[in-house]
Amino acid sequence: MTEHDNPATSSDHDPTLVLLKVEEAARRLSIGRTTCYALIRSGELESIDIGRLRRVPADAPAAYLARRRAARRAA
């Protein structure tokens, strides 16, 4: 099985995606799903509800990382 055969992996780097599943956002940040949900709960990682679904804007993981890096530089 190649990387392209696995839909969970191939969607991680799809530049056309506007919203990510929480699991996809967690993979982009190299963190676990539970940690990702904790960041969402705390408001550190932006997310939205669509019906009963929780989605993370595709640019939110990069924005979270940029805020963390800026905070680390300021400390």
Side-chain angles (χ1 to χ4, degrees):
M1 181 181 276
T2 67
E3 179 182 355
H4 299 289
D5 294 333
N6 185 347
T9 304
S10 63
S11 66
D12 284 349
H13 301 290
D14 184 348
T16 63
L17 290 178
V18 176
L19 297 172
L20 306 171
K21 294 177 184 176
V22 174
E23 292 79 6
E24 293 167 341
R27 277 194 295 275
R28 286 192 181 188
L29 291 168
S30 298
I31 60 175
R33 185 177 68 97
T34 304
T35 302
C36 194
Y37 274 108
L39 291 173
I40 289 169
R41 248 189 327 276
S42 71
E44 292 182 71
L45 182 62
E46 180 186 1
S47 72
I48 61 169
D49 291 322
I50 300 177
R52 294 177 53 177
L53 303 175
R54 170 73 59 181
R55 294 294 184 252
V56 177
D59 61 344
Y64 166 74
L65 180 60
R67 285 191 306 275
R68 289 291 306 251
R69 293 176 81 183
R72 189 166 189 205
R73 282 189 218 114

